[in-house]
Amino acid sequence: MRHASAVKRANNGTGHAPRLDIQGLRALAVGLVVVYHLRPEALAGGFIGVDVFFVLSGFLIIGSLAREAAKHSSISVPAFYARRIRRLFPASAAVLVAVLLGTVLLLPQSRWQGISADVLFSLLQVQNWHQALSAVSYAGATGEVSPLQHFWSLAVEEQFYLVIPFFFLGLVLAARRLNRAADTFIVPALAAVALVSFAYSIYLSNNEHTLAYFVTGTRVWELAVGGLAALVPAMGILTGRRAALASWVGVAAVVIPVFFLTTDMPFPGSIAAIPVLGTALLLRSGSAAAAVPWSASRVLSLRPLTFIGDVSYSLYLWHWPVIVFAVALLGRAPRIREAVLLAVLSLGLAAASYYWVEQRFRHPSSRNTGWGGHRKVYVLAMCSAVLVTVAAWAPWQVVEVKRAQLSTALSDRDYPGAQAWSERPAAVPAGMPVRPDPSVAMQDVPATSVGACGVYDPATVPDTDCWFGSQDQQAPVVVVVGDSHAGQFVDPLVAVSKKIPLRIHAMVRNGCPFALTPPRSADTVYANCSAQNAITAEKIIGQKPDLVLVAGMREDGYRKALGWHWSPESPLAEGYVQSLSRLRGAGLRVAVIADPPYPGGNPVECLQKHGKQDQCATSAAEALAGTDTLVTAAGSVPGVETIDLSRHFCRDGVCPVVIGNVLVYRDNHMTNTFAKSLAPDLAVALRLG
């Protein structure tokens, strides 16, 4: 019965007596997160504030449920969910609506559908899985990041809340069958859950740390540790000065790591145990330490900190959209003075949200505490969720109407695209709207963007997949190999194949230049890129195609877009020479396409923001800066042909974003519409037909 008495005695911070130091701890946690998001370079590990919140939630929620199970031998699931809805849903719904409004008023239409989808992911409490499967890094805000990305941590907690009352109900039923007290099983069962989750967190963090950061299973142990901190007794040793000293050790374990941890580390694996256990120690020692004037608990109980703790939930909700919208408007990260203003604005919104939204719904009147009151909470939440969904649908549908235009064939006479700058220039009618519409340009993608054809893996993609063009098995075969910039030329070749039968085999892997030297990157996803290329080269040789077309982003482009570089001992040029030499050594015809000019900034958002095409153009000197390493390598391998189509992109020292009424870029890639307009000149340059 030791665990039973533990639950009964462990009321520190989970009973009805207020714990001001808990509010101060909330302030510390949200402060770390806000500073990290505003100035990530100043507080690289500030993201661990989220881990502090997880431990806090476990401490309060699990402690409360454990006492309920011990006292009543049951758990009121409807009452539990009603409390959670009243506590969390009103403020989050207000933020979702505000983000939708801000999106429509402040952001270009190209962002509308993505953010509308994020509203639904957040509303359904699955934002963490959306982020995990999108492999989005949780770092500082940029102009393109979602203003609702931070809802991932709320999703983790909500998913935990869905399960935890049934976990306790299961323990209660087991206790009844064994004629034992319900709380006899709580601590051992919770410890077992924590250990399993912790082991999984270590495993996944060491193998897929971006995925591990967001998924629920790697975070459950943090909530469970908080619960254990509420339930396991202090054994009489954390009293007076010892408790005060323990409270400062706990603070140190939270604060010191923020200066050393980064999102590149295998987090939340074993290293997360430092702030998690520090938080648990601080929570466990708090009540006893509060009697000592110099304890951390007394410092955390100061009114300025407890006020921030009171509004911490709303502050967490509001600060990230404020930062993202500010970055989008500024076009850059906020400077120090701007960061301070954004922090003050976030705090003001949080205070308003706390007093006018959170507090209005959080505490029900006595007549609304029974089943009838709980039912009213559920109905109101469902109705509000429907209204938010309808609000999210409206901007989505505005863009969806324009997206339908992508499937409509354009007239070559009205939209000549690259042919406007061909050797025999086509006339360009005036007054035509730009196509594709900038709001849907990011969806104007090549055929290789569907399925596995853009992430070609020679070990898993069957040789019969990723074929395009003519169905005639006797038609000449063209293999397209390289990264996503190579994939841009598949659809132009498909267009050529309508006049000159061609079978096109796409062996394209986004972010993987067709070289046999690996990039220096922290991203383990691409660690095997060069090894896969070696296998791909052998597969190409075995196919004996009529032409191998190789393309890839410039080395400077990789630095700009992905932060990658190659070592002096294993340069990219050498890797290209090796792969091209293998193909030529097998007697294959090989052609290399020079990478199109690299646009400055975001051409799509610039066009939507300014409306004037000349304001979004890039100088040819900037767009063609740096050496095209693939072209250089091709020049040193006898027999490799080189194709340069840059004259279709730049003229008189300027590379515009619209040519022949067609939008040239969707980001650093061509729009598929413009790429297809290159087809006639590509066919001539490659001597096809």
Side-chain angles (χ1 to χ4, degrees):
M1 296 296 290
R2 182 177 59 186
H3 298 303
S5 60
V7 172
K8 292 175 182 177
R9 291 197 307 259
N11 285 325
N12 290 346
T14 56
H16 297 292
R19 283 278 302 270
L20 296 179
D21 61 312
I22 287 181
Q23 295 305 88
L25 184 55
R26 282 192 171 112
L28 174 62
V30 77
L32 293 176
V33 174
V34 171
V35 174
Y36 167 67
H37 284 156
L38 284 168
R39 307 289 295 182
E41 72 283 358
L43 211 62
F47 56 85
I48 66 172
V50 172
D51 302 84
V52 174
F53 276 124
F54 286 152
V55 179
L56 269 167
S57 293
F59 183 80
L60 297 170
I61 299 302
I62 293 176
S64 173
L65 288 173
R67 283 194 313 280
E68 183 178 353
K71 182 177 181 180
H72 302 292
S73 295
S74 182
I75 295 291
S76 176
V77 176
F80 174 79
Y81 288 148
R83 290 194 300 270
R84 293 295 86 205
I85 290 171
R86 286 195 302 267
R87 173 70 178 95
L88 302 174
F89 182 73
S92 64
V95 171
L96 293 178
V97 172
V99 165
L100 280 171
L101 182 61
T103 297
V104 172
L105 295 178
L106 302 175
L107 298 183
Q109 289 187 3
S110 58
R111 302 286 307 280
W112 289 11
Q113 284 195 329
I115 293 175
S116 294
D118 277 323
V119 167
L120 297 182
F121 289 129
S122 301
L123 191 64
L124 295 172
Q125 299 300 337
V126 292
Q127 183 66 255
N128 65 315
W129 290 102
H130 173 56
Q131 299 295 340
L133 298 177
S134 300
V136 175
S137 175
Y138 192 60
T142 67
E144 290 76 30
V145 80
S146 169
L148 296 173
Q149 179 174 311
H150 65 316
F151 268 68
W152 76 269
S153 64
L154 305 181
V156 169
E157 289 198 31
E158 290 297 332
Q159 291 160 28
F160 178 76
Y161 296 152
L162 283 176
V163 175
I164 192 62
F166 295 102
F167 171 81
F168 276 96
L169 281 177
L171 295 178
V172 167
L173 292 175
R176 286 177 182 173
R177 284 179 176 266
L178 297 173
N179 197 27
R180 301 284 296 277
D183 51 8
T184 305
F185 302 97
I186 292 176
V187 171
L190 197 60
V193 169
L195 288 173
V196 171
S197 173
F198 184 55
Y200 177 62
S201 179
I202 293 173
Y203 167 77
L204 196 61
S205 297
N206 288 331
N207 291 276
E208 294 284 350
H209 85 270
T210 300
L211 181 67
Y213 192 91
F214 294 107
V215 300
T216 309
T218 61
R219 300 290 187 166
V220 168
W221 70 274
E222 301 182 5
L223 291 140
V225 165
L228 290 171
L231 303 179
V232 176
M235 305 278 201
I237 61 172
L238 291 180
T239 58
R241 293 185 177 183
R242 288 180 178 178
L245 180 60
S247 70
W248 281 113
V249 171
V251 169
V254 171
V255 173
I256 293 176
V258 304
F259 299 103
F260 302 101
L261 297 180
T262 71
T263 52
D264 292 331
M265 294 179 177
F267 199 88
S270 57
I271 54 178
I274 299 172
V276 167
L277 294 177
T279 303
L281 180 62
L282 183 55
L283 288 169
R284 198 67 194 90
S285 62
S287 293
V292 181
W294 51 267
S295 69
S297 299
R298 288 287 287 271
V299 174
L300 291 173
S301 300
L302 295 175
R303 182 52 186 157
L305 290 177
T306 60
F307 168 74
I308 296 175
D310 290 342
V311 303
S312 59
Y313 174 59
S314 282
L315 180 55
Y316 182 82
L317 290 175
W318 283 102
H319 85 281
W320 181 252
V322 166
I323 295 171
V324 172
F325 283 124
V327 169
L329 294 176
L330 293 170
R332 54 172 172 77
R335 299 187 176 98
I336 294 180
R337 185 173 299 177
E338 294 163 339
V340 172
L341 291 175
L342 292 176
V344 172
L345 174 60
S346 299
L347 186 59
L349 290 170
S353 177
Y354 174 73
Y355 289 112
W356 297 341
V357 179
E358 283 190 63
Q359 293 298 86
R360 289 176 66 91
F361 293 94
R362 185 174 181 179
H363 303 292
S365 61
S366 57
R367 60 186 176 184
N368 288 326
T369 55
W371 168 239
H374 299 333
R375 184 170 55 189
K376 184 183 296 185
V377 170
Y378 297 141
V379 171
L380 288 174
M382 290 179 63
C383 291
S384 300
V386 170
L387 291 175
V388 173
T389 301
V390 171
W393 176 85
W396 174 283
Q397 191 60 27
V398 168
V399 180
E400 188 65 17
V401 171
K402 297 181 179 181
R403 193 184 71 83
Q405 298 170 349
L406 294 176
S407 59
T408 304
L410 298 179
S411 164
D412 292 340
R413 180 177 60 83
D414 294 334
Y415 294 94
Q419 294 308 299
W421 286 6
S422 186
E423 288 188 1
R424 294 182 179 179
V428 181
M432 300 297 297
V434 173
R435 292 290 182 268
D437 189 284
S439 63
V440 294
M442 287 300 297
Q443 301 177 56
D444 190 22
V445 295
T448 52
S449 298
V450 178
C453 295
V455 287
Y456 178 79
D457 183 342
T460 60
V461 178
D463 293 340
T464 54
D465 287 4
C466 302
W467 287 85
F468 304 91
S470 175
Q471 300 298 313
D472 182 0
Q473 297 298 307
Q474 303 304 314
V477 173
V478 179
V479 169
V480 179
V481 64
D483 58 19
S484 59
H485 279 218
Q488 298 176 114
F489 294 99
V490 170
D491 285 83
L493 289 171
V494 171
V496 171
S497 73
K498 294 177 181 179
K499 297 180 180 179
I500 306 168
L502 295 173
R503 297 179 64 221
I504 302 111
H505 191 189
M507 304 174 82
V508 173
R509 184 180 178 189
N510 299 341
C512 179
F514 188 58
L516 300 187
T517 50
R520 283 185 171 179
S521 168
D523 195 338
T524 57
V525 173
Y526 294 94
N528 64 346
C529 176
S530 56
Q532 285 190 355
N533 285 336
I535 301 173
T536 300
E538 295 306 314
K539 280 184 170 284
I540 294 172
I541 292 170
Q543 288 183 17
K544 298 180 180 179
D546 297 275
L547 170 65
V548 181
L549 188 63
V550 186
M553 186 160 57
R554 292 167 178 264
E555 193 168 353
D556 279 353
Y558 271 105
R559 291 193 182 95
K560 292 177 183 177
L562 300 173
W564 291 4
H565 64 281
W566 281 258
S567 67
E569 299 78 22
S570 186
L572 177 60
E574 180 182 319
Y576 275 138
V577 169
Q578 292 174 13
S579 58
L580 296 175
S581 296
R582 285 196 187 186
L583 300 180
R584 284 296 299 147
L588 300 180
R589 182 190 172 200
V590 180
V592 161
I593 299 184
D595 195 36
Y598 196 102
N602 187 316
V604 171
E605 291 199 1
C606 177
L607 195 58
Q608 292 179 97
K609 181 177 181 180
H610 299 292
K612 296 181 180 180
Q613 301 174 17
D614 55 349
Q615 289 184 271
C616 302
T618 306
S619 69
E622 178 185 351
L624 295 169
T627 302
D628 192 327
T629 310
L630 177 56
V631 172
T632 302
S636 63
V637 180
V640 175
E641 306 167 31
T642 301
I643 310 299
D644 189 348
L645 300 173
S646 59
R647 63 185 175 86
H648 292 283
F649 296 82
C650 304
R651 177 179 289 180
D652 300 326
V654 176
C655 307
V657 295
V658 177
I659 298 174
N661 291 331
V662 175
L663 182 60
V664 179
Y665 300 101
R666 52 187 171 90
D667 44 25
N668 61 68
H669 300 81
M670 292 182 281
T671 63
N672 204 38
T673 301
F674 187 81
K676 288 188 287 188
S677 73
L678 290 166
D681 293 278
L682 182 62
V684 171
L686 293 174
R687 307 191 311 278
L688 298 174

